[in-house]
Amino acid sequence: MLIDAVVLLFFDKIYINLPAELDRYFASWLLLAYALILLMGFTKDRKKLL
């Protein structure tokens, strides 16, 4: 997660083939993924999800 924060700060220098305007979409996908990972930890029966 710390590396993702650095990547978002220097998005245009790390992903040189992508326009800098896409950084907000990249950040939203990261937040969604982290939220899903956290929410799956609160489920009682993890085998039903798989």
Side-chain angles (χ1 to χ4, degrees), residues 1 7-8 11-12 15-16 22 27-28 30 40 46 49-50:
M1 289 174 80
V7 167
L8 288 173
F11 184 82
D12 56 339
Y15 296 108
I16 56 174
L22 291 180
S28 66
L30 284 177
M40 284 189 345
R46 292 186 193 144
L49 292 174
L50 299 175

Side-chain angles (χ1 to χ4, degrees), residues 11-13 15-26:
F11 184 82
D12 56 339
K13 293 179 181 38
Y15 296 108
I16 56 174
N17 290 334
L18 295 175
E21 295 82 27
L22 291 180
D23 62 347
R24 64 185 70 148
Y25 300 113
F26 185 73

